[in-house]
Amino acid sequence: MDRREFMQFGALAGGTLLAGQALAQTPSNLAPAVRARAEKPRIVAPGGQVAVVTPNGSTLPWKNVGGVKVGHLVAMPVRHTFAPGLEVEAWGYNGSTPGPTIEAVEGDRIRIYVTNRLPEPTTVHWHGLILPNGMDGVSGLNQRPIAPGETFAYEFTLNRAGTYMYHPHYDEMTQMALGMMGMLIVHPKRSRGPRVDRDFALMTHEWKVLPGMRRPDPNAMSDFNVLTFNSKAFPATAPLVIGRGERVRIRLGNLSAMDHHPIHLHGLYFEVTGTDGGFVPESARYPETSVLVPVGSTRVIEFVADEPGDWAMHCHMTHHVMNQMGHAAPVTVGANARNIDKQVQALVPQYMTMGQDGMGGMEEMGMPVPPNSIPMKGGKGPFGSIDMGGMFTVLKVRENPEAEDGSGWYVHPKGTVADKADPAKLAADGIDPDVRFG
Amino acid sequence: MKIWSSSRWKKPAQGALLASTFVLGGCVTVPYADDVRDVRSTLGSRWAPELPVPALTGEAPRGEDVDTVVKELLSQPLTADAAVRIALLNNRDLRAAMHELGIATGNVVQASLPPIPEVGLEVTKPAGSTKVQTGLGLEYNLSDLILLPQRRGVALAERASEQARTASEVLGLAYRTRLAFYEVQARRQQLELRNLALRNAQARYGTAVELEKVGNLRALDLATERSAVEAARLAVAEADNALQDAREDLNVELGLFGADTQWTVDALLADPSDALSKQEGLEARAIEVSLDLSELRGRMEAADRRNQLARTEGFLPTLSGGVHGEREDDRWEMGASLRVGVPLFDRKRGERIATLSSRESLKARYEATATAIRASLRQARFRVESTASRAMHVRDVLLPATRKALEETVLQYNAMQLGVFDLLRAQDNVTNAASTYVDTLLEHHRARAALEQLLAGRHQGVELAPTRISSAASGSAPAADAH
């Protein structure tokens, strides 16, 4: 009996109290909460520049007042769901983390009111922007902090196109750890380079939320166990749906506390076209499939996807594609589980050794786990469970992207999916699967 | 406060003693049954009705019958009541105490006997006479006869005191037997728990061995788990030793040896009974029923009576009287005599000082004992309530909390946040909480027995274990897995 069978038997025979919670957290119930239907891109900037889409997020609405774009950010506590089954007490802007993406055009005069509904003061720093010193938002250096209940006004002209971010510069450790951040996109007045068909913004972040807790730990310096794109962990990350042959831009920002993220895309190569410092000259670009996004930086990549399919996009740090991973358990790989189980189950009947044959497929076991926690990995895929979590999403390249809502899987042409080898073909090709080495 | 009076005892006892004097004459038997009956009478309402008293009825089976009853009781798993019953039937110290009461009874009988008359015969042959003169005389110690009631009063008071002491011994035996039985129960449960802790340590070590075999564990961790197993094994041995000691302590009270010591105990220590209702006047009740104080009052009464006797002896001249007859020339000449001793030098002053001092000493001891009884009563009562409350806290709060912690540890284990060693440590915390429950229950039953003993009338020998102040370590959360 393997652990999965054991748990099923236990649930049937023992009627464990936690069976309900276990069922509530089976992978089949962890479907993405928000699906991003690929709408026809809106044109928002000169030169046919399309609007930025923030998967799982939103864009700040503007009011035009006397030629000034006026927006309102409310810093506030929010209840946020990383993925179904894991809800936290976070802080954010306008009811979400990350806050709404601020999108404008080079030369725009913007006025943003910031209301503080946090229990402590705050400020907003416009990360990467060059602006009047008094608008830079560093508490004590450039302004006095915004006290709880106060509303401050920030006003400046966007003189430089690019991909930027915003975040507090008062008690940064706590406020950013709890989710206060957002992207700020300034389109160029004159479009640069080839026009893109899709423009996405993804904010990477890391959190420490131990299973059973509801408040991210701001004191964490390591052991971050929830890794997110736009504050969502797979399987709740909305896929990026694009059309085959479309030119796509993805703007990546990183306001993690401690970790850089090497973001890797499958099925294509890209070039880094920009940073929060500006545009990368064409002569300096080179093809890549992974881009390291350092803490406090943005990276903009552009590509054309020619190969249709469902392509993985993820941080390549293997612990960053896990949910609430724990590392306190001893390594059991290779151990004789039967010998261990016999002794431990006599004392703790619910126990069964796991991991002795490796960790794969553990999300399918349906083990009861602490409330407000999600399996370390796993999300529904066309061939079973996808054995990853955290900072992972799917790039869906489709012939007709507007018809997709992201929930459908790519239908592979016959003969294009790796499968069990035909013995006759093995023999014909001179392959002996029983070959021994060493 | 009720003062002991020999009049309660006098009439039936006096009648029985006089009857024995005149009817049985020189025939002497050990008055065991009568003494037992008197002890039972002294115990009276102090003796809880549900407690077995076959050994105190005066009609108790003796010899082989006792063995049969005891063996029958021993053939079943023991209960506290059965243990007390066996002790009352079989404990030789209790029989010795009963026979010691017989010594006091004998002293009463002896003190109740009138002095023996002295008869004198005198035969003389005056010089030069061929006739033999015969003289007969009867002398009787009148002063001893006059003092007889007082001497008997002293003996009666002493016997009453001894009767109270013997009744107290009965209570003491029942108390000690119950304590010993509770101790056996607790030690047996603790042994089971230490065995559980050993199996836990062995499971940790076994897991460590399997992990080390495949290169997943440091030798340090393996050695640490090994040392934990050996420490747990030692704890089992200690618990086993404690159980054997407890069994032997109970065997002493039960008067058992040889094959009879193979009795078993199945029952677990009972859960705490409801806390005592807030009865008022328990201190006064303990004082009123105290056999320790009864004994002291009896001794004070005896000292008073000895003082009276000494005073009477000091002032009463030694009196003896007699009649005298002398036969001369075939006729008797009769006469009477009275001999009077003049107490010029010895008026029993020293004896009176001694008895008065003894009386005052006993009075002071009486007051000290009463103070100690009151303090013990309050202490026992508080301990009963405190231990009941603590035991219920352990049962209803701490144990469920450790079990909940174990359940949560299982969940955290499932989520790979904790390891198997944390899981087993959490299980060990449950075992330790259960161990705390057993200790607290034992303390509760000890305190309850002590309180019942005080309210039954015995203070002597009552003791409460020192108050334990435990650390909260057993309930702490498991630390992050070091492996």
Side-chain angles (χ1 to χ4, degrees):
Chain A
M1 182 184 288
D2 64 16
R3 184 169 176 84
R4 186 184 321 171
E5 290 169 335
F6 176 84
M7 296 312 298
Q8 288 168 348
F9 177 79
L12 286 171
T16 169
L17 293 172
L18 301 161
Q21 295 169 18
L23 291 173
Q25 296 179 23
T26 52
S28 61
N29 286 354
L30 291 180
V34 178
R35 294 296 185 194
R37 179 181 291 277
E39 297 172 357
K40 199 163 184 69
R42 288 184 301 118
I43 306 300
V44 295
Q49 296 175 75
V50 298
V52 169
V53 172
T54 307
N56 300 110
S58 63
T59 302
L60 184 72
W62 293 118
K63 284 182 192 171
N64 196 324
V65 181
V68 176
K69 286 183 175 173
V70 177
H72 188 195
L73 288 177
V74 179
M76 57 187 287
V78 297
R79 183 164 286 189
H80 178 72
T81 300
F82 287 123
L86 180 56
E87 188 176 85
V88 292
E89 306 290 341
W91 289 358
Y93 296 98
N94 296 8
S96 70
T97 171
T101 298
I102 298 171
E103 188 175 11
V105 179
E106 183 181 5
D108 281 350
R109 180 77 175 174
I110 63 171
R111 184 183 305 135
I112 298 181
Y113 291 100
V114 177
T115 299
N116 183 8
R117 289 192 191 143
L118 300 173
E120 69 166 348
T122 189
T123 66
V124 178
H125 165 62
W126 315 97
H127 185 112
L129 286 178
I130 296 173
L131 37 56
N133 185 252
M135 293 291 154
D136 199 43
V138 179
S139 169
L141 178 64
N142 306 123
Q143 66 168 89
R144 69 175 177 86
I146 309 169
E150 286 186 328
T151 298
F152 273 35
Y154 292 88
E155 183 167 341
F156 44 86
T157 301
L158 301 170
N159 292 321
R160 201 162 53 96
T163 300
Y164 309 105
M165 301 181 286
Y166 64 93
H167 63 82
H169 241 303
Y170 177 93
D171 190 13
E172 298 88 344
M173 182 187 84
T174 301
Q175 297 192 4
M176 292 173 72
L178 291 180
M180 296 188 67
M181 60 199 63
M183 298 287 283
L184 197 162
I185 313 298
V186 181
H187 294 281
K189 192 177 289 181
R190 292 180 189 170
S191 81
R192 299 181 58 151
R195 188 178 66 82
V196 298
D197 302 294
R198 309 271 170 186
D199 197 340
F200 296 102
L202 289 175
M203 173 72 79
T204 62
H205 197 41
E206 60 188 358
W207 319 67
K208 183 172 184 180
V209 187
L210 295 178
M213 293 173 63
R214 290 206 326 274
R215 180 80 64 185
D217 179 3
N219 300 325
M221 288 185 67
S222 58
D223 300 346
F224 297 97
N225 63 350
V226 178
L227 283 294
T228 55
F229 282 132
N230 288 340
S231 299
K232 290 286 182 181
F234 184 75
T237 47
L240 279 56
V241 182
I242 65 174
R244 181 183 182 190
E246 287 181 341
R247 186 170 184 84
V248 178
R249 177 185 295 137
I250 299 178
R251 304 168 188 264
L252 296 160
N254 183 4
L255 286 177
S256 300
M258 301 294 289
D259 287 305
H260 316 306
H261 301 295
I263 305 298
H264 176 61
L265 271 71
H266 294 209
L268 52 85
Y269 68 91
F270 55 76
E271 288 180 345
V272 177
T273 59
T275 69
D276 38 355
F279 294 91
V280 178
E282 274 191 45
S283 59
R285 298 177 189 173
Y286 50 89
E288 262 292 9
T289 62
S290 295
V291 57
L292 183 66
V293 188
V295 173
S297 298
T298 65
R299 293 289 182 269
V300 181
I301 61 172
E302 290 183 20
F303 56 88
V304 174
D306 291 327
E307 193 68 32
D310 294 325
W311 301 105
M313 175 179 174
H314 60 95
C315 177
H316 216 286
M317 292 192 179
T318 56
H319 287 188
H320 288 190
V321 284
M322 306 286 278
N323 291 322
Q324 293 185 296
M325 180 183 163
H327 54 80
V331 178
T332 58
V333 176
N336 185 331
R338 186 171 297 179
N339 287 352
I340 298 173
D341 290 350
K342 188 177 173 184
Q343 295 185 74
V344 181
Q345 283 170 10
L347 298 156
V348 186
Q350 307 96 313
Y351 171 83
M352 195 165 186
T353 299
M354 54 185 168
Q356 71 275 16
D357 299 321
M359 303 283 188
M362 293 187 67
E363 68 284 355
E364 298 175 22
M365 294 175 183
M367 293 176 289
V369 292
N372 200 40
S373 64
I374 52 178
M376 288 199 303
K377 52 188 181 173
K380 191 176 178 184
F383 298 99
S385 178
I386 298 170
D387 215 30
M388 284 192 275
M391 201 176 283
F392 176 92
T393 189
V394 178
L395 191 68
K396 290 177 173 286
V397 182
R398 296 289 188 269
E399 299 290 350
N400 182 9
E402 279 73 28
E404 290 278 347
D405 66 359
S407 61
W409 299 108
Y410 176 66
V411 180
H412 301 82
K414 191 176 179 185
T416 63
V417 177
D419 207 344
K420 189 174 180 183
D422 178 2
K425 201 166 183 181
L426 278 173
D429 289 345
I431 300 297
D432 175 12
D434 296 325
V435 67
R436 292 286 181 269
F437 300 98
Chain B
M1 184 183 300
K2 193 179 288 181
I3 301 298
W4 182 88
S5 168
S6 64
S7 61
R8 285 195 297 157
W9 197 89
K10 247 177 188 173
K11 287 182 181 173
Q14 196 170 13
L17 292 170
L18 286 174
S20 67
T21 303
F22 292 113
V23 176
L24 300 177
C27 180
V28 175
T29 58
V30 174
Y32 188 87
D34 292 335
D35 289 341
V36 166
R37 196 171 294 123
D38 289 343
V39 169
R40 181 174 165 74
S41 166
T42 302
L43 287 168
S45 61
R46 296 178 177 91
W47 195 248
E50 68 271 17
L51 291 180
V53 287
L56 299 178
T57 61
E59 296 148 10
R62 299 259 72 83
E64 291 183 0
D65 291 341
V66 168
D67 292 342
T68 304
V69 174
V70 169
K71 284 186 187 307
E72 188 179 327
L73 289 168
L74 290 174
S75 68
Q76 304 292 325
L78 276 185
T79 63
D81 284 350
V84 171
R85 187 178 287 117
I86 292 169
L88 292 175
L89 285 168
N90 211 40
N91 184 284
R92 286 350 189 235
D93 279 334
L94 180 59
R95 288 191 194 174
M98 289 293 179
H99 285 298
E100 283 166 6
L101 178 57
I103 296 172
T105 303
N107 290 340
V108 171
V109 171
Q110 192 62 43
S112 302
L113 297 176
I116 300 170
E118 292 179 7
V119 177
L121 173 63
E122 189 178 351
V123 179
T124 56
K125 184 181 177 186
S129 173
T130 59
K131 291 184 179 175
V132 175
Q133 293 179 358
T134 304
L136 280 174
L138 177 67
E139 285 278 333
Y140 199 75
N141 188 335
L142 294 172
S143 54
D144 274 2
L145 187 63
I146 292 167
L147 290 172
L148 184 142
Q150 287 194 22
R151 291 190 198 283
R152 191 173 62 234
V154 171
L156 284 170
E158 286 176 343
R159 186 185 184 279
S161 172
E162 193 65 22
Q163 188 174 319
R165 192 188 67 77
T166 308
S168 178
E169 291 256 333
V170 174
L171 291 180
L173 175 62
Y175 170 66
R176 292 194 309 275
T177 303
R178 282 191 180 281
L179 289 193
F181 182 81
Y182 296 146
E183 193 77 20
V184 168
Q185 284 182 301
R187 295 302 155 212
R188 185 174 145 266
Q189 288 177 247
Q190 289 291 17
L191 177 59
E192 288 177 10
L193 291 169
R194 285 311 100 205
N195 270 312
L196 188 61
L198 173 60
R199 290 206 299 279
N200 189 302
Q202 286 171 329
R204 292 204 309 269
Y205 177 60
T207 301
V209 166
E210 294 299 330
L211 296 180
E212 196 272 344
K213 268 185 202 170
V214 292
N216 296 345
L217 201 79
R218 297 178 299 179
L220 166 63
D221 301 317
L222 186 66
T224 302
E225 296 302 344
R226 169 74 196 281
S227 68
V229 168
E230 298 313 320
R233 203 187 304 280
L234 188 63
V236 168
E238 290 169 350
D240 192 30
N241 197 339
L243 173 60
Q244 294 311 317
D245 284 352
R247 286 182 66 93
E248 291 312 323
D249 288 346
L250 183 54
N251 277 329
V252 169
E253 305 302 344
L254 300 180
L256 298 177
F257 55 87
D260 288 339
T261 60
Q262 301 306 309
W263 42 265
T264 60
V265 172
D266 281 352
L268 305 178
L269 277 170
D271 284 342
S273 46
D274 295 337
L276 286 180
S277 57
K278 301 289 182 189
Q279 295 177 40
E280 298 301 325
L282 288 184
E283 285 182 46
R285 186 174 146 202
I287 295 295
E288 185 182 350
V289 301
S290 170
L291 290 168
D292 303 293
L293 295 180
S294 287
E295 180 188 344
L296 285 169
R297 283 197 297 271
R299 298 202 186 287
M300 288 160 62
E301 176 81 13
D304 280 342
R305 287 176 179 273
R306 270 196 298 276
N307 182 48
Q308 288 278 12
L309 176 62
R311 190 164 69 174
T312 306
E313 286 175 332
F315 285 98
L316 179 69
T318 308
L319 284 177
S320 63
V323 293
H324 179 76
E326 187 171 316
R327 183 181 174 85
E328 190 174 359
D329 296 333
D330 297 330
R331 58 189 179 87
W332 285 93
E333 290 181 0
M334 301 299 291
S337 65
L338 178 66
R339 198 173 294 165
V340 180
V342 182
L344 287 178
F345 306 110
D346 180 6
R347 298 181 70 175
K348 300 289 184 184
R349 187 161 168 265
E351 196 170 325
R352 288 183 61 201
I353 289 172
T355 53
L356 280 173
S357 295
S358 171
R359 170 69 165 75
E360 290 308 306
S361 167
L362 287 164
K363 184 184 173 197
R365 204 166 297 284
Y366 181 97
E367 290 165 354
T369 303
T371 301
I373 288 172
R374 288 175 183 275
S376 295
L377 190 286
R378 290 192 299 271
Q379 187 183 18
R381 181 175 176 172
F382 180 78
R383 187 70 72 90
V384 166
E385 291 171 354
S386 167
T387 52
S389 169
R390 278 188 279 141
M392 285 188 278
H393 179 79
V394 175
R395 183 191 63 189
D396 301 335
V397 181
L398 178 60
L399 258 173
T402 55
R403 290 195 185 107
K404 176 68 176 169
L406 175 59
E407 287 173 15
E408 291 295 332
T409 306
V410 170
L411 297 183
Q412 293 287 339
Y413 168 80
N414 289 343
M416 292 193 67
Q417 304 298 308
L418 296 172
V420 60
F421 297 100
D422 298 305
L423 195 60
L424 288 168
R425 274 191 281 274
Q427 195 282 330
D428 214 27
N429 283 343
V430 178
T431 302
N432 289 335
S435 184
T436 302
Y437 183 53
V438 171
D439 281 347
T440 312
L441 266 190
L442 175 61
E443 200 180 343
H444 172 72
H445 286 293
R446 289 180 67 93
R448 192 161 192 105
L451 183 61
E452 287 169 355
Q453 182 79 340
L454 285 164
L455 291 174
R458 183 179 166 97
H459 172 249
Q460 194 181 1
V462 166
E463 57 184 39
L464 298 169
T467 304
R468 290 181 299 110
I469 302 175
S470 59
S471 71
S474 65
S476 63
D481 201 312
H483 297 288

